[in-house]
Amino acid sequence: MTQKTDTRPRRRRDPADAGTKPPATFTAFGLAAEAEAIEPGLHVVATPIGNLKDVSFRALATLAAADAVLAEDTRVTRTLLMHYGITTPLVAYHEHSNAAVRERMVARMLAGEALALVSDAGTPLVSDPGFKLVQAAIEAGVLITPIPGPSAVMTAIVAAGLPTDRFFFEGFLPAKSGARRNRLETLGQIPCTLVLFESPHRLPEMLVDAAETLGGARPAAVARELTKLYETIRRGSLAELAATFAEEGPPKGEVVVIIGTHDVAPDAAATDAGIDAALAAALARHSIKDAATLVAEETGQPRRAVYARALALARRDDA
C-alpha cells in the first residue's frame, strides 16, 4: 500500500481568488463576525450533538467560509446554519450517495473549492458514511482539514464514571438477538470499557442480552439525550439497568451505552470450583440453559463460558 502523507502548509485562500463573492459571515452572541477565507479541500467539521451552544467558533467560521456544506440531512444542518446566520449552500451527502456523487465533490475541490463535511450531530465519520468521501479525497490528493468538536462517544464516557484509560467503540450492535449475543461474546473478551450506540426501542432487549452474555454484575451506564434539556445518565450493573428498562420500557431520544470491565476480586464464586458448585446446585432445579444463565448472573462470568462448564458437568453426571 502506497503511503500518503499530507505535509503541505495550510494557507488561507487569497480573497482575490473569490472574485466578487462577498466576505462570509456568521452571527454569534448577537454580533456579526466575518469568516476568513479557508484552504481549498475537504473540511471535516464536528457539530453539536444536541445543544447548539456547543459549536466552536472555528467550526462556524469554516461553515460560513466554505463554498458548500455537505450534510447527511440538509434539514437538520439547515437549523444549525440558520441559528448562526450562515447562508452557505447545502448539498446532501449520505449513506446512499454513490461513487458518482463523490467524484463530483472531488472534482469541485480539485477545481479550488472548499467543502465542509458534517454529520447530523457530532463528529463526522463516527457511525456515518463520510469515510468514503474522505478516502476518495485522499486518493485524489485533496487536502483534508479536521475541525474537532462535540462527540457523543467522549461526552458519554466522561460522565459514565467508568474507566477511561482504555475504551473500545463498537457503534451499533446487530438488531437481532442471536447475532447481537454473538457479537457481545466477542466484545466481552476485550479488557477495556465498551462504548455502544443503540436505538431506543431496542435498548431493553439489548441490555438483557448484555447482562446474560457479559455477566449481570458488570458495571454500566446508559446516557440519553446528551447535552439536551432532558439529558439523563443511569448508572448501575447490567442486571440492574436491564431490569429498570424492562419495567420502564424504551426511552426516548439518542442513547449511548457504556459497559465497564468486570474487575471484582476473585472469590470462591469466581473460581472454577465455585462455579462448578453453583452449577451443580442450579442443575438440580433447572435446565442446562437456565442454570448457566443464573450462575453467569450471580458470578459475573461470561455466559458462554459458564454454559460450556454446565454442559461438561451434565455429561459427566450422565456418564
Side-chain angles (χ1 to χ4, degrees):
M1 180 178 178
T2 304
Q3 291 187 351
K4 292 184 177 294
T5 304
D6 207 338
T7 58
R8 290 170 290 179
R10 298 178 182 273
R11 298 183 297 273
R12 295 183 176 86
R13 286 187 289 187
D14 187 333
D17 294 341
T20 59
K21 182 180 178 181
T25 61
F26 63 93
T27 302
F29 302 109
L31 301 174
E34 186 173 313
E36 295 180 330
I38 57 176
E39 184 80 3
L42 185 61
H43 299 255
V44 184
V45 184
T47 56
I49 61 175
N51 192 322
L52 294 181
K53 295 178 181 177
D54 290 335
V55 70
S56 72
F57 282 111
R58 187 182 177 202
L60 292 176
T62 299
L63 294 173
D67 293 291
V69 176
L70 311 184
E72 193 174 0
D73 186 330
T74 56
R75 295 167 300 180
V76 173
T77 303
R78 184 173 288 110
T79 299
L80 173 67
L81 299 190
M82 290 178 63
H83 185 81
Y84 287 103
I86 296 172
T87 59
T88 306
L90 284 163
V91 177
Y93 182 81
H94 44 69
E95 61 182 343
H96 302 297
S97 298
N98 57 26
V101 174
R102 288 188 286 276
E103 289 175 5
R104 290 198 297 272
M105 296 303 104
V106 169
R108 292 180 64 170
M109 291 182 282
L110 290 175
E113 291 193 15
L115 302 183
L117 174 67
V118 301
S119 65
D120 285 350
T123 302
L125 278 68
V126 180
S127 284
D128 86 21
F131 77 95
K132 290 183 180 180
L133 180 59
V134 171
Q135 287 178 329
I138 291 172
E139 288 298 320
V142 170
L143 184 69
I144 307 295
T145 303
I147 312 297
S151 164
V153 173
M154 298 308 302
T155 304
I157 200 169
V158 299
L162 297 171
T164 58
D165 53 340
R166 297 180 64 197
F167 64 89
F168 181 87
F169 173 63
E170 171 67 9
F172 287 94
L173 292 169
K176 295 186 177 180
S177 181
R180 183 165 55 233
R181 285 173 178 254
N182 287 336
R183 182 58 185 162
L184 283 166
E185 290 281 4
T186 300
L187 294 173
Q189 306 307 310
I190 302 175
C192 65
T193 298
L194 305 176
V195 185
L196 312 170
F197 288 165
E198 190 52 273
S199 298
H201 71 275
R202 287 202 301 264
L203 179 66
E205 61 185 54
M206 186 279 275
L207 289 172
V208 171
D209 286 344
E212 294 182 354
T213 304
L214 302 176
R218 197 155 171 166
V222 174
R224 182 185 73 88
E225 292 289 84
L226 288 169
T227 77
K228 300 178 184 177
L229 180 62
Y230 295 105
E231 174 181 284
T232 306
I233 302 173
R234 308 284 282 272
R235 304 174 184 87
S237 68
L238 279 173
E240 290 169 340
L241 291 171
T244 295
F245 285 98
E247 180 180 352
E248 295 181 0
K252 294 181 180 180
E254 304 296 327
V255 173
V256 183
V257 179
I258 312 294
I259 303 175
T261 56
H262 183 71
D263 54 3
V264 178
D267 55 23
T271 64
D272 289 348
I275 291 174
D276 286 351
L279 280 172
L283 285 168
R285 306 185 304 277
H286 303 282
S287 66
I288 295 175
K289 179 180 178 181
D290 290 343
T293 298
L294 289 170
V295 174
E297 291 179 353
E298 291 173 359
T299 63
Q301 299 300 302
R303 183 180 177 279
R304 179 175 290 180
V306 177
Y307 183 71
R309 297 189 70 82
L311 283 175
L313 283 175
R315 292 194 189 101
R316 186 186 67 186
D317 293 341
D318 292 340

